[in-house]
Amino acid sequence: MFRLGQYGTDPAFPSGIGYEAAGVVEALGDGVRGLSVGEAVSVVPSFTMTDYGVHGEAVLAPAHAVVAHPERLSFEEAASVWMQFITAYGGLVDLAGVRPGDTVLISAASSSVGLAAIQIAHKAGARAVALTRTGAKRQQLLDAGADEVIATAEEDVPARVRELTDGQGARIIFDPVGGTALADLVTAAAHEAHLVLYGVLDRTPTPLNVGEVLFKHLTIRGFELFEITTDDRRRAEAVAFVADGLAKGELTPTIDKTFPLEDIAEAHRYLEAGGQVGKIVVTVPGTWPSSAGSVSVVAAGQGDHHHHWQASGVHHQVASAARRLLHRLVPGRRAGDGGGRAHYLTARVRAAP
């Protein structure tokens, strides 16, 4: 969406790309505490894409966004954890207060966030009902843990939800789609339900029955990941929740396919086709001896934005990696001519002064 100019944040050229990475610390910025050179880490999306881009052989990331590498996970898995699970955590746990016995409707359930929401609903003792456009992914969603699957283009969603809930409706609805389908979700909602909207995949105007919202006492809430990740307390709570689930095996990232960095344009084409179930990960060939197969990330101190690194060798290394990445994304274009952002990356991580 960022690459297509639909993300809500306009790129400032020359623009880096990417929110998530995993790898090994190569250097530390002034005042950085709690991290060590050579430590395996991953990056939590908690910054604007115009300030930091973490897809490349060497990347710069703010120290607050760099966390310890989750044990039990490969670098590929660690690079695919934080955005999906913290988004699902924010909507279901932080905002809607999911609890045992709840029925949770999860739209676009085959997406990485949708799959994470299924797992988080189960971690809370709730029932996860996956919504998908057709029945083509039904078995994959059941295999991923969905308790029930509803094909929205083939079934009457409100009637099916009433059937599954003894007429009560769903207490939590977690939706990144919007558009005309939202009307059915409002009808399928229980009394005092929470509808958490975290995307707008369908920009068609939404017909809304205000009477249902009023008399059911519904809460309809827009939500962005960065509400959680830019708040120090809420980010720490989210990271602790996800890390606990990963350690216990309750949460496991689902990777659909990996691509080498040199094929990142093909990774974008695959992503846009929309057939994936789970994450798409871009892997980086080793360029430093400490962590072959991952990116080098620089952890910056407070106030160290990318433009403060112009005189440093690390910045030139990061900038040249970003330029090479942009050329792969948009062959034949100069860095200032346009570009986009891939979603996920494994990396060797550098924290530089």
Side-chain angles (χ1 to χ4, degrees), residues 150-196:
I150 300 174
T152 58
E154 301 168 0
E155 301 179 66
D156 182 327
V157 175
R160 185 80 176 105
V161 172
R162 285 194 297 271
E163 177 187 333
L164 294 173
T165 60
D166 294 327
Q168 297 301 306
R171 198 185 78 82
I172 299 175
I173 297 170
F174 190 52
D175 178 55
V177 180
T180 56
L182 186 60
D184 278 347
L185 300 183
V186 169
T187 300
H191 186 73
E192 298 187 343
H194 290 258
L195 286 79
V196 179

Side-chain angles (χ1 to χ4, degrees), residues 5 14 22 42 47 51 56 71 78 103 149 152 157 168 192 211 215 233 241 245 258 280 284 290 310 320 325 340:
S42 50
F47 43 84
D51 282 337
E71 294 185 14
T103 294
V149 177
T152 58
V157 175
Q168 297 301 306
E192 298 187 343
F215 296 114
R233 178 188 60 80
F241 178 95
T258 63
I280 299 166
V284 176
S290 59
Q310 294 294 336
S320 98
L325 176 61

Side-chain angles (χ1 to χ4, degrees), residues 59-78:
V59 299
L60 174 68
H64 74 262
V66 181
V67 298
H69 179 80
E71 294 185 14
R72 299 178 56 250
L73 299 188
S74 66
F75 279 117
E76 288 83 0
E77 290 171 323

Side-chain angles (χ1 to χ4, degrees), residues 5-86:
Q6 299 175 353
Y7 195 75
T9 301
D10 293 329
F13 297 112
S15 178
I17 195 168
Y19 265 142
E20 297 181 272
V24 175
V25 174
E26 292 281 343
L28 295 171
D30 290 338
V32 173
R33 300 288 182 269
L35 296 169
S36 304
V37 172
E39 181 181 358
V41 296
S42 50
V43 177
V44 176
S46 53
F47 43 84
T48 64
M49 287 196 275
T50 52
D51 282 337
Y52 300 95
V54 297
H55 288 187
E57 293 95 336
V59 299
L60 174 68
H64 74 262
V66 181
V67 298
H69 179 80
E71 294 185 14
R72 299 178 56 250
L73 299 188
S74 66
F75 279 117
E76 288 83 0
E77 290 171 323
S80 68
V81 163
W82 298 110
M83 180 175 282
Q84 62 171 328
F85 282 111
I86 292 181

Side-chain angles (χ1 to χ4, degrees), residues 3-335:
R3 179 169 55 78
L4 296 172
Q6 299 175 353
Y7 195 75
T9 301
D10 293 329
F13 297 112
S15 178
I17 195 168
Y19 265 142
E20 297 181 272
V24 175
V25 174
E26 292 281 343
L28 295 171
D30 290 338
V32 173
R33 300 288 182 269
L35 296 169
S36 304
V37 172
E39 181 181 358
V41 296
S42 50
V43 177
V44 176
S46 53
F47 43 84
T48 64
M49 287 196 275
T50 52
D51 282 337
Y52 300 95
V54 297
H55 288 187
E57 293 95 336
V59 299
L60 174 68
H64 74 262
V66 181
V67 298
H69 179 80
E71 294 185 14
R72 299 178 56 250
L73 299 188
S74 66
F75 279 117
E76 288 83 0
E77 290 171 323
S80 68
V81 163
W82 298 110
M83 180 175 282
Q84 62 171 328
F85 282 111
I86 292 181
T87 301
Y89 163 90
L92 301 187
V93 178
D94 188 276
L95 292 183
V98 62
R99 56 186 184 240
D102 280 343
T103 294
V104 181
L105 299 189
I106 301 167
S107 301
S110 63
S111 69
S112 60
V113 176
L115 295 172
I118 291 171
Q119 295 181 39
I120 286 178
H122 285 167
K123 181 173 169 59
R127 177 168 59 167
V129 178
L131 305 186
T132 184
R133 197 174 65 84
T134 72
K137 297 178 181 178
R138 182 182 301 274
Q139 191 56 51
Q140 287 171 287
L141 289 168
L142 292 171
D143 292 344
D147 296 293
E148 302 286 347
V149 177
I150 300 174
T152 58
E154 301 168 0
E155 301 179 66
D156 182 327
V157 175
R160 185 80 176 105
V161 172
R162 285 194 297 271
E163 177 187 333
L164 294 173
T165 60
D166 294 327
Q168 297 301 306
R171 198 185 78 82
I172 299 175
I173 297 170
F174 190 52
D175 178 55
V177 180
T180 56
L182 186 60
D184 278 347
L185 300 183
V186 169
T187 300
H191 186 73
E192 298 187 343
H194 290 258
L195 286 79
V196 179
L197 311 179
Y198 71 97
V200 59
L201 294 175
D202 181 357
R203 294 177 179 269
T204 304
T206 298
L208 184 64
N209 185 331
V210 176
E212 285 192 298
V213 176
L214 175 64
F215 296 114
K216 285 184 174 180
H217 304 171
L218 302 183
T219 298
I220 301 178
R221 170 70 150 81
F223 166 66
E224 288 186 292
L225 165 75
F226 302 101
E227 292 184 49
I228 304 294
T229 61
T230 59
D231 180 295
D232 289 345
R233 178 188 60 80
R234 294 169 81 188
R235 182 179 65 250
E237 291 173 353
V239 168
F241 178 95
V242 174
D244 176 73
L246 293 170
K248 292 177 178 176
E250 296 170 328
L251 306 179
T252 303
T254 300
I255 296 175
D256 180 272
K257 192 170 184 178
T258 63
F259 291 83
L261 181 61
E262 63 186 17
D263 293 336
I264 193 168
E266 186 58 36
H268 274 252
R269 294 186 189 102
Y270 183 78
L271 176 68
E272 289 182 38
Q276 76 276 8
V277 176
K279 286 272 200 173
I280 299 166
V281 176
V282 178
T283 60
V284 176
T287 50
W288 284 274
S290 59
S291 180
S294 62
V295 178
S296 182
V297 179
V298 176
Q302 202 168 27
D304 287 339
H305 292 85
H306 60 84
H307 53 274
H308 293 151
W309 295 72
Q310 294 294 336
S312 76
V314 169
H315 175 272
H316 290 305
Q317 191 172 31
V318 171
S320 98
R323 283 193 295 271
R324 289 195 297 275
L325 176 61
L326 186 57
H327 279 259
R328 288 176 182 134
L329 281 170
V330 190
R333 290 192 182 181
R334 297 187 304 277

